[in-house]
Amino acid sequence: MDNVETPEPTSQPLTAGQTLLKAREEAGLSRADIASRTKVAERHILSIEEDRFEDLAARTYAVGFSRAYARAMGLDEKVIADKVRAQLDAHEPYAPVTQPSFEPGDPARVPSSGLAWLAGGAVVLVIGLVFYFWSSVFSPEGELPSLLPGEEPSAAPAPTQAVAAASPSAAVPSGPVVLTANADQVWLRVSDGSGATLVETVLGRGESWTVPADADAPKLRTARPDALAITVGTAAVPALSDKPETVSGVSLAPRDLLGSAAP
């Protein structure tokens, strides 16, 4: 009887999660160690190692967190990122979780859509009240006609004088609007007046993004307003918040950003 050689099984290339898991175990590190180095939650580290990228909030987070993991282990970030994208594409259709809002410090947990609509309605109400207060308190008042017989009402001041008097306080500095992260992993999204997304990204510490000069009514949404510095030209805008919280619908128009700080 002829001897039949059994073919050796061909080794399959490691996935992105397997590559990172192997590097961590060879380095003798725990998931807690990686979470401390990357500032990524330990449960997300577990999801990455098990190639469960769909458990993360969005495709952006799957790629970004994996790159941070690879950087912490001294691996090639681009190779890992390409593997993650390929694995996501292989599981099409890829349906990332819609993020109507973000819990501070944990982008994988998303509040209900009803809460997001309630917050949006509150923002619209506040804007309406501010507009009404501004127009009724600071708009020029007309002079009432005299109640005495035979006395003509005095003429109103010339419009040019009112404009000239208001011009110094109404002037608002101009220049490019720049968003700069003062911490790691600062997520933000900017959309225009039609609702189209201009950018959705995660900025690292010291990284910046400039609002296009021709953007139509740009609006900001972020979960880290306390870690985001905004400037208009050379003028610094007061901090949006002093703590991590979700803010949405923040106008990035120079006049709106600096209007609250003008006299």
Side-chain angles (χ1 to χ4, degrees):
M1 182 175 182
D2 297 335
N3 292 330
V4 179
E5 295 183 358
T6 303
E8 295 182 358
T10 58
S11 59
Q12 297 293 330
L14 296 179
T15 64
Q18 293 170 347
T19 302
L20 295 170
L21 173 61
K22 180 180 178 182
R24 177 177 65 80
E25 291 178 342
E26 290 178 350
L29 299 175
S30 66
R31 294 191 185 95
D33 295 330
I34 302 302
S36 177
R37 292 185 180 186
T38 61
K39 308 303 181 184
V40 176
E42 188 172 345
R43 65 176 178 277
H44 298 333
I45 299 296
L46 177 60
S47 297
I48 292 172
E49 291 182 348
E50 295 180 351
D51 295 303
R52 293 184 290 105
F53 301 110
E54 64 277 3
D55 290 353
L56 301 179
R59 189 184 186 96
T60 302
Y61 286 95
V63 176
F65 288 171
S66 298
R67 289 178 68 100
Y69 194 162
R71 184 166 56 251
M73 297 306 305
L75 301 178
D76 191 326
E77 300 178 33
K78 185 178 184 302
V79 172
I80 295 299
D82 290 342
K83 284 188 176 183
V84 173
R85 294 189 185 97
Q87 289 175 227
L88 290 173
D89 293 339
H91 290 82
E92 291 292 346
Y94 180 77
V97 180
T98 304
Q99 308 109 28
S101 180
F102 288 87
E103 181 178 343
D106 189 0
R109 298 179 59 186
V110 181
S112 64
S113 58
L115 182 60
W117 280 107
L118 181 62
V123 171
V124 173
L125 178 61
V126 170
I127 293 175
L129 291 175
V130 171
F131 178 80
Y132 173 79
F133 177 79
W134 181 271
S135 60
S136 58
V137 174
F138 294 99
S139 60
E141 299 182 11
E143 185 175 351
L144 296 176
S146 174
L147 299 179
L148 298 177
E151 183 176 342
E152 295 294 334
S154 59
T160 55
Q161 297 175 353
V163 173
S167 296
S169 61
V172 176
S174 62
V177 177
V178 180
L179 312 178
T180 303
N182 292 330
D184 295 325
Q185 301 292 329
V186 177
W187 175 89
L188 61 86
R189 179 172 63 201
V190 178
S191 56
D192 60 15
S194 65
T197 299
L198 298 178
V199 68
E200 182 173 358
T201 186
V202 177
L203 297 179
R205 184 184 299 271
E207 293 182 345
S208 300
W209 183 80
T210 302
V211 179
D214 56 352
D216 178 27
K219 298 289 192 303
L220 168 67
R221 182 183 184 85
T222 181
R224 291 299 311 275
D226 59 315
L228 196 61
I230 305 177
T231 57
V232 179
T234 59
V237 177
L240 299 179
S241 178
D242 59 355
K243 61 182 179 180
E245 61 180 344
T246 300
V247 296
S248 179
V250 178
S251 174
L252 295 179
R255 180 172 295 274
D256 294 337
L257 290 172
L258 297 176
S260 59

